[in-house]
Each structure stands twice: as structure tokens, then as C-alpha cells.
Amino acid sequence: MSGLLDLLNSPVGRQMISGVANQTGQSESKTADVLSMAVPLLMGAMKKNTTTPGGAQGLMDALSSKHDGSILSDLGGLFGGGVDQSVVNDGAGILGHVLGSKQPQVENALSSKSGLDAGTISQILKIAAPILLGYLGQQTRQQKVNSPDGLNGLLGGLMGGNKKAAKQQSLIETFLDSDGDGSVIDDLAGMVLNSGGSKKGGLGGLLGGFFGK
């Protein structure tokens, strides 16, 4: 299961990329590049948080209530008239909880890799975070996950399972625990994008198929 690649290539993923691009005034290909790097990083940060009992239970509580996946049922409405400020505020809260003091480092690293300014990166992440959490909530319901251990396993599965997930998680934790320049994001994005077996076109190659590029 190449879970994150499946997500980004799914109708939900395409709608998220298109909506976020319109909201931020960026191209869909640039937005896709940022999300292809940011989504595994956020997922890995959540997985790291589930290693503490409080962190795991907090995420479980969020996924069984506010972030139960209902946001995915009307993404057209979410993006239709511009994203509501309450959604952006929710995203800011999620990022603060998941990334903590490393949030500026993450945004700066994504900025340097994508060529977009850190303010735009922050805006993209704030809109994407509630959708990503909603996707996780939907998955926990569909797969009947009801324990912190089960949640940790679900996150590992979405990151590719077994050795691949372990390697990705190690990269993510190295990044989050260091003050590095973000070069690990290249490795991380490469692992996600190449999980489908194609290495063409770097980051943009991921989404070239459905943007007709």
C-alpha cells in the first residue's frame, strides 16, 4: 500500500491540490510539489506524537469527534467561496500541536525546496492540515481503529508499511529533532514519489499524470 501516493492521486487529493492552489494563488504543480513533501512530514510528525500516551489519546479523540472525515464530503463547498477563516485557524492549531517549535523550520525547509516564500507555505499547510486530519479520521472509521496502537499502525501503513515506513519515520524524526537545513526533505519526497515505481521528473513527476504535464 503506497498510502500517501494513493491519497495525493485520489479524487480527494486532486481536489485538495486544486482548491489550495486557487486559495493561495499558486499553480497546481507548485502546490502539488509542496504537498508531496509536506503530507508525509505531517503524517510522520503525528506518528511521532502517538509514541506518547497523551499524544496518541489526544489524536484519537480529535479523529473521533471534530476530525471524523466529514470535511471530505464537501470539499467543493469548502473551497467554493474561499476557505473559511475558522478552517485556517483550525489548521494553525493542528500545525502548532503536531510540529510545535519546529514549525518555522519545516516551513523554511519547504520554502527552500519549492521556491515559494515561507508565508505561502504556511498558508498551504494551514488549509491542508484539517483535510489531512479528516482523511485520517475517515480511515480510522473505515478500518475500525479504536486504540492508540491501532492508530500508530494505521499511520505506518499509510507511510508505506514495514521497512519503508520505518526508514521514512527515521528521516522525519531526524529532521524534527535537528536544526538541519531540510535536505532530508529531498529523501523523504523521493521515497513517497518513487513508491509507485517511477522516478521520472522529480517532484513534479508525481502529479504530472493527472495534470496532463
Side-chain angles (χ1 to χ4, degrees):
M1 173 183 182
S2 55
L4 296 182
L5 191 61
D6 291 341
L7 167 60
L8 289 168
N9 276 304
S10 72
V12 166
R14 290 196 286 269
Q15 200 170 7
M16 174 170 72
I17 290 163
S18 174
V20 172
N22 287 338
Q23 182 73 19
T24 58
Q26 300 300 321
S27 69
E28 290 191 358
S29 59
K30 271 286 186 191
T31 303
D33 280 358
V34 172
L35 290 174
S36 69
M37 294 182 284
V39 167
L41 196 56
L42 291 175
M43 201 79 85
M46 288 180 202
K47 190 171 188 299
K48 186 182 183 200
N49 285 355
T50 64
T51 59
T52 66
Q57 192 57 55
L59 185 54
M60 280 296 298
D61 291 345
L63 296 178
S64 61
S65 54
K66 185 176 183 179
H67 299 287
D68 60 357
S70 54
I71 191 173
L72 305 181
S73 63
D74 189 22
L75 286 181
L78 174 69
F79 291 118
V83 176
D84 190 85
Q85 188 61 40
S86 65
V87 175
V88 177
N89 292 342
D90 185 30
I94 293 167
L95 294 174
H97 183 72
V98 169
L99 298 175
S101 62
K102 295 296 182 181
Q103 186 174 338
Q105 181 186 334
V106 169
E107 291 171 353
N108 288 333
L110 290 169
S111 172
S112 70
K113 296 302 172 190
S114 67
L116 299 179
D117 65 87
T120 300
I121 296 293
S122 178
Q123 194 178 6
I124 290 173
L125 296 184
K126 285 173 187 173
I127 299 168
I131 299 172
L132 182 59
L133 220 57
Y135 175 75
L136 275 179
Q138 181 190 67
Q139 291 295 307
T140 58
R141 283 208 327 280
Q142 289 178 354
Q143 299 188 33
K144 296 182 170 55
V145 172
N146 51 23
S147 71
D149 281 347
L151 181 58
N152 194 287
L154 172 65
L155 287 164
L158 288 171
M159 293 172 68
N162 302 326
K163 289 183 180 177
K164 183 180 170 191
K167 186 176 179 187
Q168 272 188 260
Q169 192 62 29
S170 175
L171 281 170
I172 289 164
E173 293 188 9
T174 298
F175 176 67
L176 292 175
D177 290 341
S178 73
D179 293 317
D181 62 2
S183 59
V184 70
I185 288 182
D186 284 336
D187 299 325
L188 184 62
M191 289 183 73
V192 176
L193 305 192
N194 294 335
S195 60
S198 168
K199 297 191 177 182
K200 70 182 181 73
L203 294 180
L206 154 84
L207 307 146
F210 60 69
F211 291 132
K213 294 179 175 153

